[in-house]
Amino acid sequence: MLRSLLLTLLLATPAAAQNLDSLLARMTLEEKLGQLNLLSANGRASPEQMQLVRAGKLGGLFNVIGAENTTPVQRIVVTESRLKIPLLFGLDVIHGYRTIFPIPLGEASSFDPDAAEATARAAGQEAAAFGINWTYAPMVDIARDPRWGRIAEGSGEDPFLGSMMAAARVRGFQQTIFATAKHFAGYGGAEAGRDYNETEISERTMREIYLPPFKAAVDAGVASLMSAFNDIAGVPASGNAWLTGTVLRHEWGFKGFVVSDWTSIAELIQHGVAGSQAEAGRRALMAGVDMDMQSSIYADSIAALLRANRIPMAFVDSAVMHILRAKQRLGLFRDPYRVRTAPPNAELRAIARRVAGESIVLLKNERSLLPLDPRAGTIAVIGPLADNKEEPLGPWHTQGQAADVVTVLQGIRSRASGVQVVYAQGAGVEDTSTAGFTAAVAAARQAKVAILVLGERGDMSGEAASRSALDLPGVQEQLLEAVAATGTPVVLVLINGRPLILPWASDHVPAIVETWFLGVEAGNATADVLFGDVNPSAKLPVTFPRVLGQIPLYYNHRNTGRPPDVNNKYTSKYIDVPVTPRYPFGFGLSYTTFGYSNLKLNTARARVSDTVTATITVTNTGSREGTEVVQLYVRDEVASVAPRLRELKAFRRVTLKPGESRAVDLRVAVRDLWFIGLDMKPVVEPGTFRVFVGPNSVEGQEAVFELVP
Ligand code: BGC
C-alpha cells in the first residue's frame, strides 16, 4: 500500500520538475537573486544590463523592443551565462502591440468575452513576433470612480463582467505569451480617484468586489500577478502577506509568480512600513512578492539579510522556483527565442474593426436621428478629435502608431463618398480660445447634420491621469453649444477613457455615441455605426453619474435602512440631484428595439448544488436586425449581511431579425450566489432570491425562487 502510494507520488512528479530542483541546487545565491531581479530597458538592453545578463543576475527585462533587440540578449544568456536560464521579456501589451484594439473599458462594453479573447490572442501573437514573451495585462482592477484615470485599462465596476473579461483575456494572451493579472489588489479603490492613493476596503468588499476577477484569472491559468502600489487600510499590497500569501497561495492555490509593480517594493519606505531598503525587501519577499520590478532591492539587500538570519533561505528558494517553473511552463528552456509569426495585417485590422464596432455604446438617439443616410446631404464633421490620429490609440498603446489610425473624418469620408463632407476643427482638446468657432458654425450651417467629435486626449486617462472634473476639457462644451445653436441636428461622438459627465449634452443633443478610445480602426468602426452598417449592441460596463458629487456611484449597492424616497426627507438622497445615474450600468441603445416577456424559472425551489435556468422571450420589435445583451441580475431578499440590490450573474448576446422572437436561456449556479458572511467566509443562505432579466441594471422582468436547505 505504502509502496504504491510512493510510486504514484513519484510518477506524479514530472521529470522536468525534478530538473528544476537540481537546477536550484546548483545556483549560487547571486544567481538565485538574479532570477528575482527585473529591470526596464529603454528600447534595448544597456551595456550594464548585458553584463548582468552574462553574470546570471537578471531574471527578465522589459521594454526591450523588437526581436532584433531581444534575440541577442537571449543569445548571451544561452551562450555565455553559466546556467543558461532564459530571460522573460516583458512589455505592457495592454490592448494591442502595433495593431491597437479598443481600450479594455471600451471592449468590456461589448459584453463579449470572445471578442476580448480574440484581441488578446492577436495582441499576444503580434507581440511574440517581436520577441515579447510576457505581457503586463490584463488589468483586472474593479473601478467605481471615474476620476481615476486607470479605469480605462480595466473592465469597469462589476466583478462578474470583470471576471469573464479577465479569464477571456488570459486565455487569449496565453495562447502565445504569458499574461499578468494586475494590480493585486484594490488599486482601483484609490480614495477620491487619485492615482496611487490609499484605499479603505473592508475584507468583505475586497472578497466580493475587488478579488473575483483575480480569482478568475488564476482559475484561467494566469502565469503571474502584479502586486499593486496602493495600501489597503494601511497595509501596502506589495508587502501584504494576507493578500499574496493567505488568499493567493493558500486559498486559491496559485502556482505562478508574483511580480511587484514598478519600484513598489522600494515604495514600502515611502508608505512608512519599512525604514530601509533591506526592510522593504524583507517585507515584500516574506509576503510572497517573487520578483522585484525596478527596485533592485532583492539583488542588493537580501544577501545581507540572509547572513544576518533575518530571512530564511526558503523564502528565496520558493520565489526562485516560482519563476523557474514559469519559464519552464512557457517552454523557454526548450525554445529560448520564441519568436512567433504575427497574423497578417489584414486579419489584425479586421479584428480591430469588428471589436471596435462592438464596443460603441449608443447612449441617446432621439427621433431616430441615427443611423444617417449616407446620401442625405452635406455632413459637417467638427471637433478637436474628428481628424486626430493620435488620441484614438488611448493612454497605453505600446508600439501603436498614429499613422495607422483611421480618423472619424476619414471613416465618414470613405463611407459617405457620394456627399459633401465639410470639416472644421473648432478648437483643440484643451484650448481656451474660441477663434475656431466661426468656421465650425459655418460648416454646421451648410450641413444636414453636424457630427461633433469631442472628448479627451489619450493621456488624460490611464496611469497618473486622475481628473477632478469629468466634463469636456477646454472650450469643447461651448463649441458643442455653439454648433447646436445653428439648429442643425447634432450627433455627439465621444472619444474618451472614462465616464464623462455631460448634463447639457444629455438634455439637449439628440444623439450621443460613446466610442471610448477605439484604436487603429476607430474611424471606420465609428462610421460603420453612424451609417448603420453595424447596429450598436454595446452596454455600459460602468455607471455614468449625473453630477460629480454622486461619485462613487455604482449599480450593485445596498438598500440602506432608509432607501431614497422623494416624499420623505429623512431618506438616503441629495437635496439637489436625484440619486439615480445619468446612464446606468448595462445601458445601451440599438437602432432596433427589443421586447422582453414571459420570464420563467425552471424551478421555484432550488438547492445550493442546483443550477437555476431563467428563460425569457426576447423579441426584436423594431425594423432592423440587432444584437441585444440580455442581462440577468439576482437579489438575495434577506440575508445575515445586507444584500446588494442587484448583482449581475449571467448575460448573453442574442442576434434577432426584425420581428423575430427567441426564448433565451440564462443559467446561474446557486453556489455562485455567495456573499461574505458574518464570519468572513463565503456563504449561500437559504431564502428567497429575486431574479431580474432585462436590457440593463434598472429594467427587466422579475421572478423569484426559494433556496431550500
Ligand atoms: C504600472 C504598471 C505597469 C508597469 C510597467 C507601472 O507604472 O502601474 O501597470 O505594468 O509600470 O510598465
Side-chain angles (χ1 to χ4, degrees):
M1 172 70 190
L2 189 68
R3 238 188 104 224
S4 77
L5 190 71
L6 273 176
L7 201 67
T8 326
L9 276 176
L10 259 177
L11 287 176
T13 317
Q18 292 176 26
N19 289 345
L20 291 187
D21 286 334
S22 74
L23 176 59
L24 183 75
R26 281 185 288 135
M27 290 172 83
T28 64
L29 178 58
E30 276 195 333
E31 284 163 339
K32 287 180 183 176
L33 297 176
Q35 286 305 304
L36 313 186
N37 195 15
L38 174 68
L39 291 178
S40 171
N42 196 0
R44 49 200 304 190
S46 66
E48 300 76 44
Q49 288 172 339
M50 291 290 215
Q51 242 345 89
L52 293 175
V53 169
R54 213 168 264 123
K57 290 184 177 176
L58 270 184
L61 273 169
F62 65 115
N63 294 328
V64 179
I65 306 300
E68 69 282 13
N69 289 318
T70 57
T71 301
V73 185
Q74 203 70 295
R75 191 168 297 123
I76 289 186
V77 173
V78 174
T79 57
E80 299 180 38
S81 76
R82 192 178 79 89
L83 292 174
K84 310 188 187 337
I85 304 172
L87 292 176
L88 288 165
F89 286 108
L91 191 70
D92 290 281
V93 180
I94 308 294
H95 52 111
Y97 178 83
R98 167 83 191 250
T99 309
I100 302 303
F101 303 108
I103 54 166
L105 185 65
E107 195 177 67
S109 313
S110 70
F111 278 63
D112 185 356
D114 292 344
E117 183 170 338
T119 61
R121 185 192 320 121
Q125 288 169 332
E126 209 184 8
F130 292 89
I132 296 305
N133 54 34
W134 182 32
T135 178
Y136 303 138
M139 193 276 223
V140 306
D141 294 314
I142 296 294
R144 295 164 151 189
D145 190 330
R147 290 172 295 185
W148 190 52
R150 300 200 82 168
I151 197 170
E153 291 175 57
S155 295
E157 73 187 38
D158 182 62
F160 181 77
L161 177 63
S163 298
M164 300 293 278
M165 289 295 172
R169 290 186 176 124
V170 168
R171 285 195 301 270
F173 283 127
Q174 292 203 162
Q175 293 190 22
T176 41
I177 62 176
F178 267 173
T180 309
K182 71 184 187 185
H183 306 82
F184 195 59
Y187 184 37
E191 281 196 357
R194 206 182 81 216
D195 206 3
Y196 318 121
N197 202 8
E198 63 192 276
T199 76
E200 192 58 62
I201 304 172
S202 70
E203 181 176 341
R204 176 169 293 110
T205 303
M206 196 70 172
R207 288 183 181 274
E208 290 178 354
I209 303 291
Y210 290 93
L211 291 183
F214 288 97
K215 173 71 163 57
V218 168
D219 291 345
V222 75
S224 59
L225 262 71
M226 185 183 289
S227 66
F229 287 127
N230 58 284
D231 73 77
I232 304 131
V235 186
S238 291
N240 190 321
W242 177 76
L243 260 185
T244 34
T246 310
V247 173
L248 181 63
R249 295 281 175 200
H250 299 127
E251 293 179 18
W252 298 355
F254 178 60
K255 299 276 184 291
F257 67 102
V258 178
V259 60
S260 80
D261 203 345
W262 181 288
T263 64
S264 67
I265 298 180
E267 288 167 30
L268 295 179
I269 299 172
Q270 310 279 6
H271 275 290
V273 299
S276 65
Q277 300 243 331
E279 267 180 48
R282 177 169 181 271
R283 175 149 179 166
L285 188 63
M286 291 185 72
V289 179
D290 302 306
M291 197 176 221
D292 171 0
M293 181 194 284
Q294 278 304 96
S295 296
S296 291
I297 287 185
Y298 286 178
D300 294 346
S301 305
I302 299 289
L305 288 166
L306 285 163
R307 279 195 298 276
N309 283 329
R310 298 228 36 244
I311 193 169
M313 189 61 163
F315 282 91
V316 175
D317 285 349
S318 119
V320 173
M321 277 307 268
H322 291 150
I323 290 160
L324 293 180
R325 258 190 236 119
K327 290 180 172 182
Q328 185 177 59
R329 178 179 159 207
L330 187 60
L332 275 186
F333 289 100
R334 266 184 288 112
D335 175 14
Y337 302 106
R338 274 192 106 260
V339 177
R340 302 288 186 260
T341 316
N345 192 42
E347 193 182 301
L348 293 168
R349 294 210 64 127
I351 298 172
R353 183 165 180 168
R354 176 173 62 77
V355 176
E358 270 191 28
S359 304
I360 296 174
V361 192
L362 181 63
L363 292 176
K364 192 176 174 194
N365 192 20
E366 260 174 21
R367 294 182 302 279
S368 299
L369 177 57
L370 293 174
L372 302 173
D373 177 349
R375 295 160 315 233
T378 301
I379 299 172
V381 181
I382 297 168
L385 296 168
D387 197 29
N388 185 302
K389 283 180 159 293
E390 182 69 35
E391 311 311 337
L393 293 172
W396 208 320
H397 47 77
T398 326
Q399 298 305 297
Q401 295 186 13
D404 296 344
V405 173
V406 178
T407 69
V408 175
L409 178 64
Q410 288 173 324
I412 289 173
R413 282 214 162 115
S414 66
R415 180 62 179 80
S417 51
V419 299
Q420 206 197 354
V421 175
V422 290
Y423 164 68
Q425 193 201 20
V429 172
E430 287 189 286
D431 276 3
T432 49
S433 159
T434 56
F437 282 22
T438 319
V441 165
R445 282 222 168 89
Q446 53 172 302
K448 291 263 324 174
V449 62
I451 299 173
L452 266 102
V453 191
L454 307 178
E456 299 178 301
R457 276 198 327 268
D459 66 2
M460 297 178 88
S461 55
E463 187 172 354
S466 296
R467 293 183 65 197
S468 70
L470 298 179
D471 50 3
L472 291 167
V475 291
Q476 293 185 76
E477 175 80 29
Q478 287 150 264
L479 175 64
L480 175 66
E481 292 180 26
V483 171
T486 62
T488 303
V490 166
V491 176
L492 172 59
V493 171
L494 293 168
I495 295 186
N496 53 289
R498 53 156 63 84
L500 294 177
I501 296 177
L502 305 173
W504 190 88
S506 305
D507 289 340
H508 297 99
V509 173
I512 305 180
V513 183
E514 174 59 81
T515 74
W516 315 106
F517 295 115
L518 286 179
V520 288
E521 286 290 337
N524 286 329
T526 305
D528 288 341
V529 163
L530 293 178
F531 295 105
D533 303 326
V534 167
N535 190 351
S537 58
K539 304 277 190 167
L540 293 177
V542 62
T543 302
F544 276 44
R546 292 173 188 273
V547 298
L548 200 65
Q550 291 178 303
I551 294 172
L553 187 66
Y554 44 88
Y555 86 94
N556 50 3
H557 59 84
R558 305 183 203 281
N559 202 31
T560 81
R562 292 189 176 196
D565 173 357
V566 279
N567 298 314
N568 184 349
K569 177 169 172 31
Y570 295 97
T571 58
S572 180
K573 59 184 192 302
Y574 300 100
I575 56 172
D576 52 356
V577 68
V579 288
T580 52
R582 174 66 71 173
Y583 302 111
F585 175 86
F587 173 81
L589 301 170
S590 161
Y591 295 149
T592 189
T593 45
F594 297 98
Y596 284 76
S597 60
N598 210 14
L599 172 63
K600 288 210 172 65
L601 305 183
N602 68 334
T603 178
R605 287 155 68 84
R607 291 184 191 283
V608 79
S609 54
D610 290 343
T611 292
V612 173
T613 304
T615 306
I616 194 159
T617 304
V618 184
T619 306
N620 182 339
T621 49
S623 53
R624 280 171 179 265
E625 179 175 308
T627 299
E628 171 72 327
V629 179
V630 181
Q631 301 162 43
L632 181 149
Y633 298 84
V634 178
R635 177 195 304 168
D636 190 346
E637 299 256 277
V638 178
S640 56
V641 174
R644 301 176 195 283
L645 285 181
R646 279 192 184 210
E647 291 179 75
L648 183 68
K649 292 292 172 188
F651 58 81
R652 243 177 111 168
R653 290 172 58 87
V654 182
T655 302
L656 297 170
K657 298 218 166 1
E660 189 183 349
S661 278
R662 191 171 316 152
V664 178
D665 286 347
L666 294 128
R667 269 176 277 275
V668 185
V670 176
R671 85 175 68 80
D672 291 343
L673 302 178
W674 60 271
F675 61 93
I676 296 296
L678 292 169
D679 59 358
M680 282 298 152
K681 303 237 157 50
V683 60
V684 185
E685 287 178 357
T688 307
F689 286 80
R690 187 167 295 275
V691 175
F692 305 81
V693 182
N696 55 53
S697 62
V698 295
E699 297 173 78
Q701 298 223 323
E702 301 180 22
V704 293
F705 73 91
E706 213 54 44
L707 173 56
V708 292

